[in-house]
């Protein structure tokens, strides 16, 4: 648990600065932030879980990182995780374990960093073109994000928390190909629609 807290504090200290409040004062970004928050709240409730293993779900992180930029993405992640728990608490429904929430928060934050870092590398090495943005920054980037998500979730669950059994680690990694392709398709289609119809919504397109 303390490993997760320390890592999150380091990431938020290094990434967040005063510019984030300037961004949140812009009406367009306020609307996009709330829209992304609601979308992630719903998307992350559609989970698949095997007995005694952590749940996996579609991420949408790549699209959100390209839409909002890194600063707002790492702000929206904890809100999207905690709002459903708050709703469950108000409705007297069971809530998730604190360690499970911290693990998900840490893993999703690291995936957001990786996804945005991949975008920066792609933007530096490849020409700025619509197909590069869709197929490389969107499709391939989100595929890598899904693989990273499962690997980090397994490492945190089995390694840091010490949960599960040794044989379950390799079994859980079999989820990688099952999640990676649908995640890539989901983000690729979402980014295609955004760049074709609403390119001014995409932060990386606006160069924020």
């Amino acid at each position: 648990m303390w490993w997760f807290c320390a890592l999150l504090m380091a990431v938020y200290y290094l990434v967040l600065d005063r510019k984030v409040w300037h961004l949140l004062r812009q009406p367009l970004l306020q609307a996009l932030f709330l829209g992304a928050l609601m979308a992630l709240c719903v998307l992350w409730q559609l989970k698949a879980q095997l007995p005694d293993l952590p749940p996996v779900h579609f991420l949408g992180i790549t699209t959100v990182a390209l839409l909002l930029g890194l600063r707002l993405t790492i702000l929206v992640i904890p809100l999207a995780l905690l709002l459903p728990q708050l709703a469950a608490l108000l409705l007297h429904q069971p809530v998730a374990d604190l360690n499970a929430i911290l693990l998900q928060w840490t893993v999703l934050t690291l995936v957001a960093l990786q996804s945005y870092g991949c975008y920066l590398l792609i933007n530096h090495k490849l020409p700025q073109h619509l197909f590069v943005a869709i197929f490389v920054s969107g499709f391939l980037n989100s595929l890598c994000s899904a693989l990273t998500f499962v690997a980090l979730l397994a490492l945190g669950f089995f390694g840091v928390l010490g949960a599960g059994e040794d044989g379950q680690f390799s079994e859980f990694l079999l989820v990688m190909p099952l999640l990676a392709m649908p995640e890539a398709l989901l983000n690729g289609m979402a980014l295609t629609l955004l760049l074709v119809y609403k390119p001014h919504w995409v932060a990386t397109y606006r160069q924020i």
Side-chain angles (χ1 to χ4, degrees):
M1 177 176 175
W2 295 110
W3 285 95
F4 302 142
C5 292
L7 189 55
L8 286 170
M9 289 176 63
V11 170
Y12 279 75
Y13 175 78
L14 293 172
V15 173
L16 294 184
D17 54 25
R18 293 181 179 179
K19 189 175 181 180
V20 71
W21 308 118
H22 171 71
L23 295 175
L24 285 173
R25 285 197 292 267
Q26 300 180 31
L28 174 61
L29 287 179
Q30 289 175 2
L32 293 176
F33 185 88
L34 292 176
L37 174 60
M38 293 300 104
L40 291 181
C41 282
V42 173
L43 188 65
W44 290 352
Q45 297 311 301
L46 306 176
K47 300 176 181 178
Q49 184 171 12
L50 297 174
D52 301 322
L53 291 175
V56 293
H57 52 78
F58 290 124
L59 306 177
I61 288 293
T62 300
T63 300
V64 172
L66 298 177
L67 183 71
L68 298 178
L70 182 59
R71 295 177 183 88
L72 296 185
T73 299
I74 67 170
L75 281 182
V76 82
I77 287 172
L79 295 177
L81 287 173
L82 294 176
L83 281 181
Q85 302 304 320
L86 179 60
L89 191 63
L90 293 175
L91 295 173
H92 305 288
Q93 299 293 324
V95 297
D97 179 69
L98 179 60
N99 282 335
I101 295 174
L102 284 172
L103 173 60
Q104 287 274 335
W105 184 358
T106 304
V107 170
L108 289 168
T109 300
L110 293 176
V111 170
L113 289 172
Q114 181 231 317
S115 187
Y116 195 77
C118 285
Y119 153 73
L120 293 177
L121 180 63
I122 293 164
N123 190 55
H124 178 68
K125 295 294 184 180
L126 296 178
Q128 294 185 357
H129 192 278
L130 179 62
F131 289 102
V132 172
I134 292 173
F135 291 108
V136 185
S137 295
F139 185 89
L140 292 179
N141 191 1
S142 56
L143 188 147
C144 294
S145 296
L147 297 177
T148 302
F149 172 73
V150 176
L152 290 177
L153 196 60
L155 181 62
F157 185 78
F158 295 101
V160 179
L161 295 182
E165 301 176 359
D166 294 338
Q168 290 179 311
F169 181 82
S170 58
E171 293 177 7
F172 184 71
L173 292 182
L174 294 176
V175 176
M176 280 183 167
L178 300 178
L179 181 65
M181 284 305 297
E183 177 70 20
L185 289 172
L186 175 70
N187 285 271
M189 290 188 295
L191 195 59
T192 299
L193 293 174
L194 286 168
L195 288 175
V196 170
Y197 294 104
K198 297 290 184 180
H200 61 285
W201 285 10
V202 183
T204 53
Y205 187 88
R206 300 191 306 271
Q207 297 298 312
I208 287 181

